[in-house]
């Protein structure tokens, strides 16, 4: 069932040896797990070839089942911001594991992390812990709907807010029309309450508010998008959304699952000086364990059960192991005054130097970057929305991905993803990366 990688056919014998065990593991996984993976992007479907199976990770590096090592630019899709298996986080986890894995009852630790986060993130009074970013976003829109007593939400094409029904909606060609489900299983009834607009296009959002007066509960956005590749808000887009929401009595939800504790400790709210009504978290907040959260002001959060009527719950919510890993990770960042400056500097160097090498090779490209999120688009024009991200040369990206993988650099296996730079990436890893880019053959 394996589709061999088209880019490596030249050297297929070598390829098979290098990834022999990964190939065998994928064949076996394919029998018991749909598509052989537990989350689709891991299957390398977009870049082709066989996914590499990992067995361990430390600092900046991943080791696969065949003992190949890689400099990791995915970092578990964001959580491993300190690099993998940070010794202090590991210590905390061991200590907690001895005390118990899960109680299904409140713990002091949950208050400790809630207090820490609400004190450090602007404009939030209370936070509710869940187990994934999907749950966080799904719960945030339920709360927004319950609070405003309205049904519709506005989202942006190319933004990902997890896989709950309301978010798996693609706009038609006219973005002002009702959404159509883009996964079987999402009902038209659900789809009609999700309105789509183009990222960075404030006029479309104004139109949606005009045509749906008094019906829009919330606008949800990735304040810096990472799920169509890295795409930045332009021309005060976030500020303008804030104003529009205020004018229309709708809530503004920042999905900071990716940007939270990554762009800055206060996330995009801090970086762009825009206040959101609800903020969702995930990824970094769990330090590598399954965690999500959503937060807001008292007047909104008070509507959640058991205090309020909007129901939301979770067997493993606030799980002590997850809380330990999350809190320790956040504390390490907080106590390191130069953390974000250093992380951003590393990313800036990668951006500049990769750009230089691609230019020397006369390969048309655009690199989008904010803080420690960045993406290389093989495109002659700037990329500021999903349509433009789609116009980039994705087959060239796939080629780039495979050549770098062969050189021991692990990029996200899709041209629609952002690279997550970790603090474990230092000069040596930057040099290895640039060397791999220099070897890249553009054919
Ligand atoms: C990853 C992500 C999610 C979903 O989080 P999961 O933990 O995968 O459910 C939601 N929103 C954004 C912006 C994300 O990057």
């Amino acid at each position: 069932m394996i589709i061999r990688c088209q880019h490596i056919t030249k050297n297929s014998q070598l390829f098979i040896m290098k990834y022999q065990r990964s190939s065998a593991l994928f064949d076996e996984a394919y029998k018991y797990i749909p598509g052989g993976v537990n989350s689709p992007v891991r299957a390398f479907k977009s870049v082709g070839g066989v996914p590499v199976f990992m067995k361990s990770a430390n600092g900046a590096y991943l080791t696969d089942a065949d003992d190949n090592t890689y400099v990791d630019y995915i970092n578990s899709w964001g959580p491993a911001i300190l690099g993998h298996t940070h010794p202090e986080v590991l210590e905390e986890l061991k200590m907690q594991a001895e005390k118990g894995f899960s109680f299904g009852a409140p713990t002091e630790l949950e208050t400790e992390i809630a207090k820490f986060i609400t004190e450090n993130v602007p404009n939030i009074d209370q936070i509710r812990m869940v187990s994934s970013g999907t749950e966080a976003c799904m719960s945030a829109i339920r709360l927004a709907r319950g609070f405003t007593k309205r049904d519709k939400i506005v989202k942006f094409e190319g933004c990902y807010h997890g896989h709950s029904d309301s978010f798996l909606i693609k706009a038609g060609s006219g973005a002002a029309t009702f959404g159509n489900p883009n996964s079987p299983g999402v009902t038209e009834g659900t789809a009609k309450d999700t309105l789509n607009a183009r990222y960075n296009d404030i006029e479309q959002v104004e139109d949606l508010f005009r045509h749906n007066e008094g019906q829009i509960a919330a606008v949800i956005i990735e304040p810096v998008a990472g799920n169509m590749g890295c795409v930045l808000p332009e021309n005060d887009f976030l500020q303008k959304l804030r104003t529009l929401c205020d004018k229309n009595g709708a809530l503004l939800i920042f999905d900071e699952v990716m940007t939270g504790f990554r762009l800055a400790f206060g996330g995009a709210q801090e970086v762009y000086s825009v206040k959101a009504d609800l903020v969702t978290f995930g990824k970094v907040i769990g330090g590598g364990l399954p965690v999500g959260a959503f937060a807001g002001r008292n007047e909104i959060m008070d509507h959640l059960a058991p205090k309020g009527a909007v129901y939301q719950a979770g067997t493993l919510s606030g799980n002590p192991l997850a809380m330990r890993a999350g809190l320790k990770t956040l504390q390490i960042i907080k106590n390191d005054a130069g953390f974000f400056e250093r992380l951003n500097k590393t990313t800036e160097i990668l951006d500049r130097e990769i750009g230089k090498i691609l230019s020397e090779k006369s390969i048309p490209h655009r690199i989008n970057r904010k803080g420690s999120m960045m993406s290389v688009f093989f495109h002659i024009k700037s990329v500021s929305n999903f349509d433009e991200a789609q116009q980039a040369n994705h087959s060239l990206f796939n080629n780039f991905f495979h050549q770098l993988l062969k050189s021991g650099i692990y990029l996200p296996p899709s041209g629609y993803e952002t690279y997550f730079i970790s603090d474990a990436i230092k000069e040596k890893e930057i040099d290895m990366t640039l060397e791999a880019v220099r070897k890249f053959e553009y054919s």
Side-chain angles (χ1 to χ4, degrees):
M1 257 334 284
I2 294 174
I3 306 138
R4 295 282 170 201
C5 169
Q6 62 207 13
H7 307 293
I8 305 183
T9 43
K10 275 190 270 181
N11 233 333
S12 60
Q13 199 51 42
L14 187 72
F15 167 76
I16 288 166
M17 279 167 58
K18 187 168 164 110
Y19 302 109
Q20 196 167 30
R21 184 143 174 80
S22 273
S23 294
L25 290 173
F26 188 51
D27 281 342
E28 189 70 356
Y30 215 93
K31 295 182 207 158
Y32 305 106
I33 302 172
V37 293
N38 279 314
S39 195
V41 72
R42 297 179 197 166
F44 279 23
K45 229 177 146 170
S46 132
V47 291
V50 180
V52 178
F53 276 56
M54 298 301 171
K55 67 174 184 191
S56 66
N58 203 282
Y61 298 91
L62 288 170
T63 302
D64 74 12
D66 293 279
D67 288 321
N68 302 301
T69 60
Y70 306 88
V71 177
D72 188 11
Y73 284 100
I74 304 183
N75 284 295
S76 190
W77 302 94
I81 195 167
L82 304 173
H84 292 281
T85 336
H86 191 283
E88 288 177 55
V89 180
L90 181 62
E91 256 332 287
E92 285 287 298
L93 279 172
K94 284 182 182 165
M95 181 273 290
Q96 182 60 49
E98 302 264 338
K99 293 185 187 172
F101 309 156
S102 182
F103 310 118
T107 58
E108 186 180 351
L109 178 58
E110 291 163 82
T111 311
E112 202 186 329
I113 190 169
K115 186 161 177 249
F116 183 86
I117 292 168
T118 52
E119 282 173 359
N120 281 290
V121 174
N123 207 36
I124 60 173
D125 301 319
Q126 294 182 50
I127 184 164
R128 171 65 61 84
M129 289 290 171
V130 293
S131 300
S132 68
T134 293
E135 257 186 280
C137 296
M138 174 189 87
S139 307
I141 57 161
R142 182 181 305 140
L143 178 56
R145 285 167 163 159
F147 178 75
T148 58
K149 302 190 173 62
R150 297 173 176 185
D151 289 344
K152 292 182 181 173
I153 58 159
V154 174
K155 72 173 280 288
F156 296 92
E157 280 176 65
C159 282
Y160 180 67
H161 305 293
H163 61 88
S164 84
D165 287 2
S166 294
F167 298 124
L168 292 181
I169 317 296
K170 195 162 58 181
S173 46
T177 56
F178 287 129
N180 298 308
N182 68 352
S183 165
V186 176
T187 66
E188 277 172 36
T190 298
K192 77 174 183 10
D193 287 329
T194 300
L195 311 170
N196 270 277
R198 198 178 299 126
Y199 201 86
N200 280 321
D201 189 340
I202 197 71
E203 273 102 40
Q204 280 200 346
V205 188
E206 284 165 358
D207 273 351
L208 290 175
F209 272 111
R210 211 171 298 124
H211 291 117
N212 298 274
E213 214 186 314
Q215 298 174 67
I216 295 173
V219 174
I220 185 167
I221 186 165
E222 288 182 65
V224 172
N227 286 291
M228 49 178 142
C230 181
V231 170
L232 277 56
E234 292 169 359
N235 306 319
D236 293 330
F237 188 55
L238 301 174
Q239 283 85 346
K240 287 173 185 162
L241 287 178
R242 177 69 276 171
T243 308
L244 258 185
C245 285
D246 286 342
K247 211 171 83 186
N248 290 281
L251 300 186
L252 179 61
I253 305 174
F254 274 8
D255 177 352
E256 300 228 40
V257 170
M258 205 179 263
T259 53
F261 306 101
R262 174 165 288 278
L263 293 186
F265 218 67
Q269 287 197 99
E270 180 185 318
V271 171
Y272 289 99
S273 302
V274 177
K275 288 179 175 177
D277 298 299
L278 287 171
V279 185
T280 61
F281 298 102
K283 302 196 165 108
V284 173
I285 207 180
L289 272 78
V291 182
F294 59 108
R297 297 188 303 278
N298 287 329
E299 55 166 325
I300 304 171
M301 297 302 283
D302 280 347
H303 285 256
L304 268 186
K307 195 168 185 183
V310 177
Y311 194 70
Q312 189 280 324
T315 300
L316 291 173
S317 293
N319 172 268
L321 286 167
M323 297 300 100
R324 281 282 175 217
L327 183 59
K328 193 69 200 175
T329 300
L330 299 184
Q331 284 168 338
I332 291 170
I333 298 172
K334 177 77 184 174
N335 294 332
D336 181 347
F339 185 84
F340 289 107
E341 208 182 312
R342 199 166 63 236
L343 200 61
N344 295 354
K345 185 81 199 161
T346 303
T347 317
E348 191 190 313
I349 295 170
L350 286 164
D351 171 350
R352 191 182 61 224
E353 297 302 320
I354 291 174
K356 246 192 240 168
I357 298 168
L358 293 176
S359 294
E360 279 160 16
K361 292 178 186 287
S362 306
I363 301 174
H365 67 277
R366 293 286 169 144
I367 301 179
N368 282 0
R369 174 175 63 87
K370 185 76 187 173
S372 57
M373 293 165 62
M374 70 173 261
S375 303
V376 178
F377 291 100
F378 294 106
H379 197 27
I380 43 171
K381 292 189 290 191
S382 62
V383 175
S384 54
N385 60 46
F386 186 53
D387 291 336
E388 289 165 356
Q390 281 184 307
Q391 288 156 12
N393 186 342
H394 288 275
S395 82
L396 184 55
F397 174 83
N398 297 345
N399 196 340
F400 184 65
F401 166 84
H402 278 291
Q403 290 193 33
L404 263 65
L405 186 75
K406 234 168 62 175
S407 302
I409 307 297
Y410 192 66
L411 295 181
S414 158
Y416 295 103
E417 303 286 356
T418 187
Y419 315 168
F420 298 93
I421 282 56
S422 87
D423 191 40
I425 294 176
K426 306 288 185 201
E427 221 176 295
K428 179 177 158 214
E429 289 76 27
I430 294 176
D431 288 346
M432 289 166 73
T433 308
L434 298 179
E435 196 45 47
V437 178
R438 268 183 217 110
K439 282 201 300 199
F440 173 49
E441 284 175 39
Y442 174 29
S443 52

